[in-house]
Amino acid sequence: MRIISSTILFLTVLTSCNHLRDIELYQKQVQKVVPLESFVYKDIFTDSKKTKLWGAKTNSCKEVVFDTSNNFEGEDHLYVKWNKNDECKFIGIGFPWGNYKSKNLSPFINSAAIEMMIRIDEEEKTKLPMFFSLADYSGKMCVSKINYLDIEGGVIDNNWTKVRIPLQAFNYERKGVNMSNIKELRIEFQQSGSVHIDEMKIVPHEHNYNRTDTEFKTTYNSFPIHLGVGSQYWWGINSTYSSNFKFAPNSIEGHSESLIADVDLSEKNSWNNFGFAFDKWNQVDISKIYSTSALKFKIKSSSIPNLQIMIVSYKGDKRRVQRLIGESNYKEVQGGVYEVLIPIKSFDNYQLIDWGSLKEIRVTVKESSQFEIGEFQLVEFRGNPRSPKKWIGK
Amino acid sequence: MRIAFLFTLSLLFSISAISQSSKVEIIKSNHSFSLLKDGEPYYIKGAGAKDHFDLLESSGANSIRIWSTNNGHLLDSAYNHGMTVSLGLYVRPERSGMDYNDEYAVRGQIEQLKQEILKYKDHPALLVWGIGNEVDLRYSNFKVWDTIEELAKFIKEVDPNHPSMTVIAGLDPSKAYLIKERCPSVDILGLNAYGSIENASTYIRKYNWDKPYIVSEWGVNGPFEAPRTSWGAKVEPPGGIKAKTRMRRYKKIIEKDVDLCLGSYCFLWGQKQESTATWHGMFLSDGRPTEAVDFMSYCWKGSWPDSRAPSINSIELDETNWKKDHILNSNSEATLEIKYDEFNNTEVFIDYKLYPEAFTNKIGGDIQDSVSEIEFEITSNSKDGKIIFKTPSKPGAYRIFAIASNSNNQCSVANIAFIVE
């Protein structure tokens, strides 16, 4: 009896197991989810009955009409004619679609676009002076415009044309817009023009373009920095028009180019300056080290030339600092060969230029002279703490 | 399908217009360049212009520069006046929000501009393509030059009849190098030079630019180069001084560089707000020409027009000239006096206008908003250029304008900025 009961129980349990499914501790999503499909606020503008719109009031700069003729879809479509003049700083309309509800566009930000149908009455155009912005509930806005690549057929004319603006094309990251809390879409109209708009909605879209992070910048955090490397990055040396400056064939050893200067300022329009890029005309950042540095170079001459040195930056309100080289900057290292050291802090108003975007060094010869100059470097220099502007000569 | 249609249309237009289209070439001889149009030497006597073409033509100009293809009809207008066009392809500058690391924005802009090139390449008025205007102003992403190069290269492929130029905001060794290296298909450097025009011909050589150039915008020193009052208002010279500066720069600088300079476009044959309503414009906002038009006519034709505008050479407020600060009390009387050349005019009418100061952060040629005129009381008017007026009751920065005009509506303008405390 016990054996029969055990057998029945075993069979019952075994049969029950057929109705059990495998289950994992953390259930995986089996079905692929397309987030846009579940997004309920896909329609931005359908017609005037179904869609809210602000900025529809006609004024001296714009005329906004719900045109009932030749609609693409629905009862009517939007017609805007504008002409920007001094009377209006902003010409625009807004679509607080979904009745001002907060819209979360983040889940499909890489796979969706705003699509609309557009036509114009005259001519054919490949662009329109219209800027589209998405505004979040904190008031931040990101902007985009109609890109030629997403105008179906490549031209806007009097036929309804499908255009798309990928959500990726809005500069939301740069503008800090919260794409999961979007309030409305705005269109700003610039210059003058007219356009018919219909059926504006969010649709799936494949956006196959990237953003690169190319920067034309060189950052230095240590010394020495060799400057003036590569004759193509120098200017002021052009034998077609002047023989005042010539490149020297390795007369002063080092990484930098060297110049032979023979400047006679008594001649009219005599060339008296030259310059070179800090680094291949990239923006050079020495902001972390400039305050403990000095510009160093060598001069070979029978007498010390009177030179002005200028450091030029790409950006900032003040873009150049300069100074004349004084005798204290020179140190004779060999018969007729001088080492010149100019502490960066000895340039007047040195704090005012942007040491994160340096462009070039310029040298101006202030008196007629002959010399050879080269081996430009930026070196570590801490100077004399009691008199930081003066080179202590050690 | 529509692209194919457009392309076919473009081809048809090309074929029908081929007999009219000019062949423009740059000829190099040693270190010297010249422009040939249909085999004939062509020195550009041009202006940045969108209207007043009748007067431009009669003043001796032969070319206009426009900054974009937005107003294609201007090519027809220029052609009807026997003038050529330096046609701008508007390449968005970084400062307008364009991101040259954004492949989508970059590619879209290039493809759109290629369509514009196909559309206008056979227009008989076309002289030179101007690819971009001042894209270098406050930029940091040098990739913009790759866009310029791609367009210049495309022009070489589809339109071998017209050279291309890219226009920069003032000369600089980094720009000369980058354009030379990254834009080898660009034929001409366009130079927008105001104060910096004084040394442009020397520095273009110093910076090793080895192709020709066009002074694509020039005139008087720009607001960005002007001295300022203690409250930041820019000091604008009177119209007469500005016109003489234009003439000197044309005769002594632009015309002198016969080797590299292919000609120039003065700025601006029209009117625009740039710090003031009169800074660069050679016309007033109501369309009246100033003496700058006469001076340019002299530059281009070598003779003065029969009727000349009067020309204001100085303006003083309370006997202090236009270069100084003027700080006035509210609701007080102040004396404004101008001195001007009458030339061949039997009668000169003088009008006065008061505006709030138009401070702006805009740079380059970016669009600026105009300011509205303020009513004010003139308590005494000697009719020969001297008035006593009542200063505004509201403290603030203002600018008063004097406009001298003749019976032909030719005029001259001068202004003084002042502050009411």
Side-chain angles (χ1 to χ4, degrees):
Chain A
M1 183 64 185
R2 188 177 288 174
I3 291 172
I4 292 168
S5 301
S6 296
T7 307
I8 290 168
L9 185 66
F10 176 76
L11 285 171
T12 307
V13 169
L14 196 67
T15 314
S16 308
C17 286
N18 282 339
H19 299 288
L20 291 178
R21 288 186 293 125
D22 287 340
I23 190 160
E24 291 181 17
L25 184 56
Y26 299 101
Q27 182 81 50
K28 281 183 185 165
Q29 200 85 45
V30 177
Q31 194 180 354
K32 191 186 171 192
V33 172
V34 181
L36 185 58
E37 283 181 5
S38 56
F39 183 62
V40 293
Y41 306 116
K42 286 195 271 291
D43 293 329
I44 299 173
F45 175 83
T46 308
D47 57 35
S48 59
K49 286 181 185 163
K50 292 178 187 158
T51 313
K52 269 198 168 67
L53 175 78
W54 58 254
K57 198 174 169 186
T58 293
N59 59 30
S60 65
C61 300
K62 74 165 187 268
E63 181 190 351
V64 182
V65 176
F66 290 105
D67 191 343
T68 53
S69 62
N70 191 9
N71 305 321
F72 181 77
E73 197 79 58
E75 298 287 310
D76 53 31
H77 70 270
L78 198 56
Y79 171 71
V80 186
K81 186 176 183 181
W82 70 95
N83 184 14
K84 192 162 187 192
N85 58 44
D86 291 341
E87 287 174 35
C88 34
K89 289 189 173 169
F90 173 82
I91 307 174
I93 52 176
F95 303 87
W97 85 102
N99 202 18
Y100 282 106
K101 293 241 172 37
S102 167
K103 275 82 66 179
N104 182 6
L105 310 185
S106 296
F108 42 83
I109 202 157
N110 294 317
S111 57
I114 294 171
E115 180 184 285
M116 70 203 85
M117 302 306 295
I118 274 187
R119 64 180 169 85
I120 55 175
D121 292 330
E122 292 167 3
E123 301 180 50
E124 291 177 340
K125 293 196 171 174
T126 50
K127 65 174 184 178
L128 293 171
M130 298 163 63
F131 288 83
F132 295 75
S133 49
L134 287 165
D136 70 13
Y137 264 94
S138 72
K140 289 179 180 166
M141 286 194 295
C142 52
V143 187
S144 189
K145 62 193 191 92
I146 297 171
N147 187 309
Y148 177 80
L149 301 174
D150 281 312
I151 299 173
E152 196 173 71
V155 65
I156 300 167
D157 58 15
N158 58 6
N159 297 306
W160 284 111
T161 304
K162 188 190 287 179
V163 299
R164 283 183 177 181
I165 306 173
L167 296 182
Q168 271 296 299
F170 288 86
N171 56 352
Y172 57 90
E173 279 176 341
R174 202 197 302 181
K175 296 291 181 183
V177 173
N178 183 356
M179 294 295 273
S180 59
N181 187 24
I182 291 299
K183 178 185 174 188
E184 63 190 6
L185 174 76
R186 298 178 184 183
I187 306 178
E188 183 181 349
F189 302 94
Q190 296 193 343
Q191 301 165 29
S192 63
S194 65
V195 67
H196 297 262
I197 304 172
D198 207 354
E199 279 296 292
M200 195 184 291
K201 58 193 175 188
I202 300 178
V203 297
H205 178 81
E206 211 171 301
H207 185 66
N208 295 318
Y209 295 90
N210 296 317
R211 272 176 215 270
T212 57
D213 55 0
T214 311
E215 272 194 322
F216 295 86
K217 196 161 192 168
T218 310
T219 303
Y220 292 110
N221 292 315
S222 62
F223 300 110
I225 303 164
H226 294 284
L227 307 172
V229 179
S231 60
Q232 68 272 38
Y233 305 112
W234 288 64
W235 60 265
I237 304 99
N238 189 333
S239 60
T240 307
Y241 302 105
S242 171
S243 55
N244 285 9
F245 302 105
K246 290 174 186 162
F247 286 110
N250 303 322
S251 57
I252 297 176
E253 64 181 44
H255 302 268
S256 156
E257 301 293 331
S258 297
L259 286 189
I260 297 167
D262 184 357
V263 179
D264 180 0
L265 294 180
S266 64
E267 291 174 9
K268 199 182 171 195
N269 300 325
S270 180
W271 288 20
N272 70 331
N273 58 356
F274 63 87
F276 53 85
F278 262 94
D279 179 51
K280 305 179 187 75
W281 296 113
N282 280 342
Q283 297 162 74
V284 168
D285 182 358
I286 59 164
S287 56
K288 289 192 178 149
I289 55 173
Y290 78 92
S291 62
T292 56
S293 68
L295 180 65
K296 183 181 169 186
F297 53 91
K298 282 186 177 169
I299 283 181
K300 191 195 276 184
S301 177
S302 55
S303 61
I304 295 173
N306 186 0
L307 302 179
Q308 183 190 59
I309 305 289
M310 183 187 285
I311 297 175
V312 185
S313 73
Y314 275 104
K315 291 181 191 162
D317 290 336
K318 187 172 179 60
R319 296 190 183 194
R320 45 183 67 183
V321 290
Q322 62 196 48
R323 59 158 294 175
L324 291 167
I325 308 176
E327 280 192 19
S328 64
N329 299 108
Y330 284 91
K331 178 180 160 187
E332 191 163 5
V333 290
Q334 205 181 316
V337 178
Y338 299 87
E339 191 176 84
V340 183
L341 206 61
I342 312 167
I344 291 300
K345 283 186 173 178
S346 70
F347 285 86
D348 288 337
N349 297 315
Y350 73 92
Q351 312 97 317
L352 300 182
I353 73 162
D354 183 355
W355 294 95
S357 66
L358 296 177
K359 177 160 62 175
E360 62 170 317
I361 288 178
R362 294 181 168 216
V363 180
T364 305
V365 182
K366 305 295 280 185
E367 288 173 4
S368 298
S369 46
Q370 295 175 324
F371 58 92
E372 199 171 316
I373 188 168
E375 213 174 320
F376 285 88
Q377 293 178 68
L378 208 60
V379 296
E380 185 164 11
F381 180 80
R382 295 189 183 270
N384 183 339
R386 287 169 189 259
S387 180
K389 288 190 177 183
K390 192 176 178 186
W391 179 52
I392 56 174
K394 289 180 181 174
Chain B
M1 181 66 186
R2 197 177 287 175
I3 285 178
F5 174 69
L6 190 73
F7 187 70
T8 313
L9 205 66
S10 162
L11 265 179
L12 285 171
F13 178 72
S14 307
I15 292 161
S16 66
I18 210 156
S19 56
Q20 297 177 329
S21 174
S22 298
K23 182 163 180 62
V24 183
E25 301 164 273
I26 296 168
I27 303 298
K28 186 180 180 187
S29 166
N30 293 325
H31 300 292
S32 181
F33 297 88
S34 54
L35 203 62
L36 294 188
K37 181 173 170 281
D38 297 326
E40 297 292 323
Y42 192 88
Y43 183 76
I44 300 168
K45 297 175 179 178
K50 290 180 177 172
D51 46 22
H52 308 291
F53 286 1
D54 287 339
L55 190 50
L56 187 58
E57 183 188 1
S58 64
S59 297
N62 61 10
S63 191
I64 64 162
R65 178 178 173 222
I66 52 179
W67 287 261
S68 75
T69 50
N70 288 347
N71 297 302
H73 66 275
L74 292 175
L75 283 107
D76 298 334
S77 303
Y79 184 66
N80 292 334
H81 286 85
M83 294 187 287
T84 60
V85 177
S86 166
L87 180 57
L89 295 167
Y90 180 73
V91 176
R92 276 188 75 196
E94 194 179 322
R95 66 181 187 278
S96 75
M98 178 69 179
D99 178 0
Y100 281 90
N101 282 338
D102 179 348
E103 288 175 3
Y104 177 67
V106 169
R107 180 52 42 202
Q109 176 172 251
I110 289 170
E111 296 306 321
Q112 186 263 330
L113 288 173
K114 282 181 177 176
Q115 296 305 309
E116 299 299 290
I117 292 165
L118 292 173
K119 188 173 172 185
Y120 292 107
K121 72 185 181 66
D122 296 310
H123 197 287
L126 181 61
L127 181 76
V128 174
W129 294 100
I131 313 172
N133 179 58
E134 300 190 348
V135 295
D136 55 296
L137 195 58
R138 296 198 184 175
Y139 77 143
S140 58
N141 194 338
F142 303 155
K143 278 168 84 175
V144 66
W145 301 122
D146 301 343
T147 289
I148 304 280
E149 169 59 12
E150 186 167 343
L151 291 168
K153 206 171 172 183
F154 182 72
I155 288 168
K156 285 247 180 294
E157 286 164 20
V158 301
D159 181 19
N161 289 334
H162 299 103
S164 66
M165 153 176 93
T166 190
V167 176
I168 56 173
L171 199 54
D172 172 278
S174 66
K175 295 175 205 170
Y177 173 82
L178 290 166
I179 296 169
K180 210 169 136 179
E181 287 301 303
R182 298 180 83 100
C183 310
S185 304
V186 167
D187 304 301
I188 303 165
L189 186 64
L191 197 55
N192 290 353
Y194 293 90
S196 65
I197 197 172
E198 298 289 345
N199 298 310
S201 64
T202 301
Y203 274 90
I204 204 160
R205 289 163 169 82
K206 283 189 179 180
Y207 296 157
N208 301 309
W209 180 253
D210 53 8
K211 290 180 181 176
Y213 72 97
I214 291 170
V215 188
S216 40
E217 279 180 30
W218 70 275
V220 296
N221 284 19
F224 57 95
E225 297 163 315
R228 292 176 186 235
T229 62
S230 57
W231 58 95
K234 290 158 187 169
V235 178
E236 181 180 357
I241 291 178
K242 291 198 294 182
K244 287 182 185 108
T245 301
R246 284 179 185 275
M247 187 163 77
R248 180 183 61 77
R249 288 180 171 173
Y250 188 82
K251 303 297 274 182
K252 304 279 184 194
I253 299 168
I254 294 171
E255 270 193 344
K256 290 279 181 203
D257 193 358
V258 293
D259 288 336
L260 296 189
C261 184
L262 303 178
S264 63
Y265 292 93
C266 63
F267 189 82
L268 170 76
W269 195 267
Q271 186 272 341
K272 79 175 285 208
Q273 176 76 22
E274 200 160 323
S275 290
T276 71
T278 53
W279 203 292
H280 282 305
M282 295 157 79
F283 291 77
L284 301 191
S285 56
D286 58 16
R288 285 184 289 168
T290 68
E291 73 270 57
V293 167
D294 302 343
F295 279 76
M296 283 316 303
S297 177
Y298 182 81
C299 289
W300 289 325
K301 289 171 72 174
S303 60
W304 294 102
D306 293 339
S307 172
R308 287 187 65 180
S311 187
I312 301 173
N313 294 311
S314 86
I315 183 166
E316 292 184 350
L317 190 52
D318 286 342
E319 298 184 341
T320 308
N321 75 35
W322 53 276
K323 296 175 184 169
K324 308 282 186 189
D325 276 10
H326 298 87
I327 299 167
L328 307 178
N329 293 321
S330 62
N331 275 326
S332 63
E333 287 197 326
T335 304
L336 184 79
E337 185 172 12
I338 60 167
K339 292 194 171 66
Y340 56 90
D341 291 327
E342 281 188 35
F343 296 123
N344 52 356
N345 296 294
T346 50
E347 210 171 3
V348 173
F349 314 95
I350 303 163
D351 192 16
Y352 302 90
K353 290 176 187 288
L354 180 68
Y355 292 90
E357 181 61 34
F359 293 107
T360 179
N361 294 323
K362 297 280 176 67
I363 57 167
D366 297 345
I367 294 167
Q368 298 178 10
D369 293 326
S370 303
V371 285
S372 301
E373 192 178 343
I374 300 170
E375 279 188 22
F376 72 112
E377 186 186 348
I378 296 174
T379 55
S380 165
N381 189 341
S382 71
K383 306 288 181 190
D384 62 351
K386 188 172 180 178
I387 58 163
I388 298 170
F389 69 99
K390 214 161 205 185
T391 60
S393 56
K394 194 177 163 190
Y398 297 89
R399 198 177 282 264
I400 189 163
F401 288 73
I403 302 141
S405 55
N406 64 11
S407 53
N408 291 330
N409 273 330
Q410 295 167 289
C411 57
S412 177
V413 187
N415 68 65
I416 282 195
F418 65 91
I419 193 159
V420 169
E421 288 188 335

